[in-house]
Structure formats: structure tokens, C-alpha cells
Amino acid sequence: MKRLLIFVAFVVALAGCSNIKKIFHDEKVKNRREWYQARAKIIYGVGMEHLKAGSFDKARSSAIEAIRLDPDYVPARVLLAKVLLEDGDYAAAIEQLRRAEAISPGDAEVAYLLGQAFERRGQFAQALKQYQKARALDPAKNAYILASANVLVLMGKTKEAMELLDLRLSRTIGNPAMLLFAGEIAMLNHLPEKAADFFRRCLDQQPNSLTVRESLAKAEFFAHHYADALTHLKVIDQQIRKMESSKQSESETYQSLHREKKSWVYLMMGDCYMAMNQPWRARRSYEKACQIAPNDWRIWLNLA
């Protein structure tokens, strides 16, 4: 009986030692994994800084090193995919994003980047599906709405793009990029009044933007709101005069590039004055346009 008790005690002791060894081993593996994960996060952070600075080779190296330490670290695969997209290696980017998607299927950014990769390859239908998925995962993100609308335009579906942006902007204030894009799509759909509304809202957010004011002037003109168009054209004229008097305007390259850009302003001003039955003012505007672009036959025709 005594021998049996000693044997049982010995077996129990052995089992205890085995469990202790297993616990120590599991703890060691866990600590090593946590250390690798912590290192991967640090290296990823360095890689992101390289990406922001435009050092794509260094960003790529950091991403690869982070993935080596922790293959399931999704941000590192996303970083590598971004570098690959910048390098034009879309197939490799898609491969990394598919792996990230398998690890984290609910990641909206992964879906969005997949859409970008497909869009750059000209696979617009696949890109749209990914953008729609990104929107479903993160409905508040304006970038995903813009991406969907942009690819719809590339597919020739400008009406659907307009409906998408119109729905979004009926519920939110919208940011300047979205409002400007919505206005441009409205113009493509021959809806100048709707475009003018979007451009007006955009100008409220960026009152000093020459681009937005030019777009608004054109929309007002094509909507037959000639007085409103003239108001904006006069402001543009003042901005042009300021630029002409700046030091930058002394360069011949600047002058040649800007000359063609601004002649339409005076041509449109003349058209507005003609529509408002003020031919004497129209004449002055057309003459100014002729001085700027003497080879544009349309201006001479309007002046005649």
C-alpha cells in the first residue's frame, strides 16, 4: 500500500512538472509573439512616416519587415499595398489587400484600396463593387462616396453619379471637394441650376477659391442668370488684375499659360452684356478678350 502511494505521488509530481513546463513554454511563446507584434507596430509607424515623406523604398522595406514579424498585422499589409499602388504594381497590391481582407473582412480601408487598384487597372465594375463595400462598412466616409461617383462617371453613368452625390449632399453640408465634383457632374448632366447651387455652397466654404468662382460663373451663365454670372466674372476680373500686377506675372511662361485661361472671362462677360441688351459694355469686354487672345476667331465674330 505504501509503495502504491509513493508511486501515485511520483506520477502526480511528474504530471505537475510537465504542466509547469507547458505553462512556461506557452508563456514564453506568448511573450515572444507580443514582442514581435509590438516591434511590428513600431516599424509600421516608421514606414508610415516614410510614406508621408514620399520615401517609397524605405516605406516598402518597413512594411515588409513588419509583416515578417507579424504576418497577421493588417495595417502593415495596407501600407505595403499603398506603396505598391504608388509604384504602379497593381497586381501585387491586390494580392496584399486580399490577404488583409481575409484577416480583417470588415476593414473599410482595405475595400477602398482594392477599389483604387481595380480602378487604376481599368476594371471599373470591380472597383465600383469594392467602393460600395467600403461605403457599407463606413457610411460616414465622404472619400468612399466620391470614389464611387468618380468611377460611375468613368463608366459613363453620370446620372447615377449625380443621384449618389445629390442624395449625400441633401443630408450633409458636404466638403468642398464633394461639392465641386457634384457641380461638375451636374454640368455634365446639363443641369446648370443644380450645378450653380453646389458651386455656391462650395464657394461659401472656400470664398477665395478662383476655381470655384469660375465654375459658379459658368453655371450661372448657362442657367441664363446673366446678372449673377456677371457678378462673379467681375470678381474674377479683379483677381486677374491682381495676379497681373504680381511679380509672378513677369515670367513669359506664366503669361502664356494664363493668357488662354482668362480670355474666356471677358468673352463670357461680353455674352452676358449682350443677353442683357448692353452692347456698348459687351464691346469693351470683347475688345479686352481680343487683346488677350488675338487668334481666337470666336471673339472677333462676337465683336463684329
Side-chain angles (χ1 to χ4, degrees):
M1 187 67 177
K2 188 183 288 186
R3 288 179 180 177
L4 180 62
L5 288 173
I6 292 170
F7 177 73
V8 170
F10 179 71
V11 170
V12 170
L14 280 176
C17 288
S18 177
N19 286 336
I20 289 170
K21 285 182 179 179
K22 186 176 184 304
I23 289 168
F24 277 124
H25 174 74
D26 291 347
E27 191 67 25
K28 188 177 180 181
V29 170
K30 181 185 174 184
N31 289 339
R32 186 185 295 117
R33 184 171 63 248
E34 288 177 351
W35 186 84
Y36 284 155
Q37 288 171 345
R39 284 289 301 158
K41 288 180 181 178
I42 292 169
I43 293 169
Y44 161 76
V46 173
M48 282 300 296
E49 292 303 315
H50 286 314
L51 182 66
K52 290 175 184 175
S55 302
F56 300 127
D57 288 339
K58 292 180 179 179
R60 182 202 294 267
S61 298
S62 296
I64 291 171
E65 178 64 15
I67 292 168
R68 188 185 65 79
L69 290 168
D70 184 3
D72 291 337
Y73 189 44
V74 170
R77 291 196 180 275
V78 169
L79 172 59
L80 181 55
K82 287 179 178 177
V83 174
L84 291 167
L85 284 172
E86 290 294 334
D87 287 343
D89 194 347
Y90 307 132
I94 289 170
E95 182 185 350
Q96 289 299 324
L97 291 166
R98 287 298 189 199
R99 291 186 183 183
E101 186 181 42
I103 300 165
S104 179
D107 194 314
E109 187 182 16
V110 170
Y112 170 68
L113 290 171
L114 272 168
Q116 283 200 322
F118 283 125
E119 182 181 337
R120 294 182 189 187
R121 290 179 74 177
Q123 297 172 274
F124 301 137
Q126 292 92 325
L128 182 59
K129 286 180 183 177
Q130 292 299 325
Y131 291 146
Q132 288 170 335
K133 182 180 178 181
R135 281 161 43 206
L137 291 169
D138 188 358
K141 195 100 171 190
N142 284 331
Y144 304 158
I145 300 285
L146 273 171
S148 296
N150 183 63
V151 83
L152 282 167
V153 171
L154 292 173
M155 294 169 73
K157 299 180 178 181
T158 56
K159 187 176 287 186
E160 289 89 337
M162 184 74 268
E163 289 171 356
L164 178 64
L165 290 175
D166 201 14
L167 179 63
R168 179 69 163 204
L169 291 169
S170 66
R171 298 174 179 175
T172 62
I173 296 172
N175 58 37
M178 181 174 285
L179 288 164
L180 184 61
F181 191 41
E184 290 169 352
I185 295 175
M187 290 295 286
L188 285 174
N189 282 293
H190 309 290
L191 299 169
E193 291 197 7
K194 184 179 281 291
D197 178 58
F198 289 133
F199 291 139
R200 214 175 288 120
R201 289 165 61 181
C202 188
L203 192 65
D204 288 340
Q205 296 185 33
Q206 293 186 321
N208 296 322
S209 173
L210 181 61
T211 300
V212 177
R213 194 175 292 278
E214 287 176 349
S215 297
L216 178 54
K218 291 175 184 177
E220 297 283 23
F221 176 80
F222 288 111
H224 308 298
H225 302 158
Y226 301 115
D228 292 329
L230 265 173
T231 299
H232 295 294
L233 290 166
K234 287 176 180 177
V235 174
I236 294 167
D237 176 39
Q238 291 172 357
Q239 290 176 302
I240 288 172
R241 291 176 189 276
K242 285 181 182 178
M243 285 189 285
E244 284 178 337
S245 62
S246 70
K247 290 182 179 179
Q248 186 183 12
S249 68
E250 291 175 2
S251 100
E252 290 183 8
T253 304
Y254 174 82
Q255 284 283 15
S256 61
L257 286 173
H258 196 61
R259 187 177 293 114
E260 292 184 13
K261 177 178 172 58
K262 66 185 181 182
S263 64
W264 71 266
V265 173
Y266 302 102
L267 177 59
M268 189 172 284
M269 285 178 77
D271 290 346
C272 286
Y273 283 127
M274 286 297 289
M276 296 168 68
N277 197 26
Q278 298 178 23
W280 60 95
R281 287 178 175 158
R283 176 181 176 177
R284 288 200 295 270
S285 297
Y286 290 141
E287 286 173 343
K288 175 71 174 176
C290 285
Q291 292 171 6
I292 296 166
N295 295 323
D296 191 337
W297 61 270
R298 296 170 303 169
I299 304 171
W300 290 102
L301 182 62
N302 287 13
L303 179 58

